[in-house]
Amino acid sequence: MIVVAAASHSGLGEAVHRKVAGLVRPFANDLKLCLVSPSNIDSINRRLADPIFRLDSYGNIRNVQLAVPYAMGAAAVAGIDDDEVIEDPDYLSKVGQFIGEDFKGETVGGMAGIYLDRAGDYRIADAEALADTPNLFLKKNYFMNEALKKVMETKCPERLLRSNVAFGGNMSMARGTIARVCHDPFIPRGEDYDYVVNAAMLGIEFFFRQDMPIVHLPPDSTGSQAADKLSKLVADIRRFIYMQEKVRYHSAHFPAERLDLSRFYPYPGPYLEDSADLQAHAADALDSKYPEFGKTRAPEAFVAETVATARRKAVEFFEYRARWQRTLAGWEGAGPLQETVEALRVRT
C-alpha cells in the first residue's frame, strides 16, 4: 500500500511526513506501507533522467499515486482518498475482477465506482432545479446528476458498463493504462473526469461498476454540496476552458488519435464542444451569480487571461504526456528505482 501525503504549504513538508508516518506506523506489521511525501519525493526524482514528479497539484499528487505502485510492479492501482470510508469487505476483490481484462470485446483500461454521501445518496442536492438554466457553468450540477443517474439506473446484469463517470477517490487503472496515461498536472480541479478524457484520446476505455460504492465525507466547505462558492466557480471556469482548449489542441495536432465527444454526455461533454462559447458563459456566470467579483476585476479580463493560460498549458500537457510515457517505459525491471521505493517503506 502506498500512502501519498501532500502539504498545503511548502514549509510543512517535514511536519506532514512525521504526522502521517505516526498515523500509519501501527499498521506497518500487517501491511507493506510506503509513504511518499514532500520530504522524500526527491529520492525518486534523483533516480530519473527527467525528474517529473511533484506534489503541488491535484494532478501531480494523483500521478505519484499511480507511478510509485507502477514502479513496484503493480498490475493495477486503486486510488482511495483520506476522506472516505469503504464499507464493502469485497471492495478490492471487485476492483481486481475486471480491471485490465476483456469485457465484451473491450479492455477495461480503468474502472470507477460511485460516491455516496452520509445519507447514502449519490445525487447532488437541488440539482434538478437547474434543468432550465441556460448558463453552462451554473448548470453544472444538473449535468453531473444526469450522468450519475445514467450510470446508476442503467440495467446491466454484470453491474459494469462503459462510462466516463469517474471519482478520483474511487477509481482504478490497469498497468497498461498507467504506462500511457497521466493525470494533467495543470488541471485546477476535476482531475478524475479529465483523466478519462486523456485516456479516451489514446483509445483506452473506462468502465463504471455499479456495486462498488465508497462513502465520501469531504469537508462541508469543499464537497459537491457546497455549490454556492465563488472559488469553485472560478476553478470550474479555468478547468473547463482549459479542457476545451486541450481537446482543440489534440484534434489539431494528433489527428491519428480519435476522440468521440458524444461519449462524454451528459457530462462533461457540453463543455468540450468547440461550438460551446465558454468565454461568454463564464463572464455571464460571474456577473449574475457573484457581481462582487467585478468590483475588483472585470470578468471579461479574467476570462481572457484564463483562455491565454489554457492555450499555453494545453501545449505543455502533451509535452508532459510524452515525458511521462518515456519515463515509465524505462521502469520495467529497473532495480535501483525499486530499491528507492522500498526505502520509503514505513517500519515499526
Side-chain angles (χ1 to χ4, degrees):
M1 178 181 293
I2 311 299
V3 178
V4 181
S8 58
H9 187 278
S10 59
L12 296 175
E14 290 292 339
V16 165
H17 185 96
R18 290 194 300 270
K19 178 68 173 180
V20 176
L23 291 172
V24 303
R25 188 168 287 115
F27 306 96
N29 282 332
D30 300 317
L31 298 170
K32 183 177 180 180
L33 293 169
C34 290
L35 173 60
V36 186
S37 74
S39 67
N40 63 17
I41 187 70
D42 283 344
S43 66
I44 297 175
N45 281 324
R46 284 194 294 268
R47 291 285 188 179
L48 306 177
D50 187 2
I52 63 173
F53 297 112
R54 301 170 63 94
L55 291 170
D56 58 356
S57 71
Y58 285 117
N60 276 323
I61 292 167
R62 297 285 187 202
N63 281 337
V64 172
Q65 184 184 63
L66 293 178
V68 175
Y70 184 93
M72 299 176 72
V77 175
I80 309 298
D81 291 342
D82 61 351
D83 56 0
E84 298 167 351
V85 177
I86 301 175
E87 297 178 331
D88 183 358
D90 297 322
Y91 178 85
L92 289 179
S93 296
K94 291 176 179 177
V95 169
Q97 185 176 358
F98 292 107
I99 194 75
E101 300 178 1
D102 180 85
F103 180 75
K104 296 184 177 180
E106 294 181 306
T107 300
V108 181
M111 190 165 59
I114 198 69
Y115 274 174
L116 300 178
D117 62 20
R118 289 176 173 84
D121 198 352
Y122 61 82
R123 294 166 296 183
I124 302 172
D126 303 320
E128 303 302 320
L130 303 173
D132 297 325
T133 301
N135 188 286
L136 289 176
F137 289 101
L138 302 183
K139 194 174 181 177
K140 188 191 79 166
N141 282 355
Y142 173 79
F143 290 137
M144 289 187 68
N145 250 17
E146 291 300 295
L148 298 179
K149 288 192 295 184
K150 181 178 178 181
V151 294
M152 291 300 288
E153 297 175 7
T154 297
K155 300 298 182 183
C156 180
E158 300 90 350
R159 308 296 299 275
L160 186 74
L161 62 156
R162 194 179 79 161
S163 172
N164 61 281
V165 170
F167 295 99
N170 191 3
M171 200 169 170
S172 306
M173 292 78 156
R175 184 174 183 84
T177 300
I178 297 169
R180 300 176 64 199
V181 187
C182 59
H183 284 282
D184 191 327
F186 313 116
I187 197 80
R189 57 172 300 169
E191 78 287 348
D192 39 18
Y193 279 86
D194 182 74
Y195 189 90
V196 178
V197 175
N198 297 339
M201 289 175 176
L202 293 167
I204 295 173
E205 297 292 348
F206 258 74
F207 286 73
F208 185 89
R209 181 146 186 176
Q210 296 172 324
D211 61 343
M212 202 171 73
I214 275 181
V215 179
H216 186 216
L217 304 173
D220 291 338
S221 61
T222 60
S224 62
Q225 306 293 2
D228 292 329
K229 298 292 183 181
L230 174 58
S231 61
K232 290 187 70 173
L233 174 58
V234 168
D236 278 337
I237 289 171
R238 288 177 170 144
R239 162 195 182 185
F240 289 121
I241 286 177
Y242 175 50
M243 289 180 71
Q244 185 188 56
E245 289 296 336
K246 191 162 63 171
V247 168
R248 285 172 174 163
Y249 186 89
H250 176 263
S251 176
H253 293 84
F254 298 89
E257 298 177 9
R258 303 298 299 273
L259 186 64
D260 179 11
L261 293 183
S262 67
R263 62 165 295 180
F264 298 110
Y265 279 79
Y267 177 83
Y271 303 92
L272 305 180
E273 297 286 358
D274 188 64
S275 59
D277 190 351
L278 297 188
Q279 297 180 51
H281 282 268
D284 175 71
L286 289 169
D287 273 333
S288 61
K289 190 72 173 178
Y290 298 101
E292 66 271 20
F293 182 88
K295 294 179 180 178
T296 57
R297 190 177 189 189
E300 292 78 10
F302 162 73
V303 171
E305 181 181 310
T306 297
V307 171
T309 299
R311 290 173 178 167
R312 183 176 70 254
K313 292 300 182 182
V315 178
E316 294 179 18
F317 166 71
F318 289 101
E319 293 172 350
Y320 183 89
R321 185 180 76 166
R323 295 168 63 195
W324 173 273
Q325 292 171 349
R326 286 195 300 268
T327 297
L328 268 64
W331 282 10
E332 297 299 335
L337 182 61
Q338 292 167 1
E339 292 172 7
T340 300
V341 172
E342 178 66 24
L344 306 178
R345 187 168 176 179
V346 178
R347 305 181 187 278
T348 56

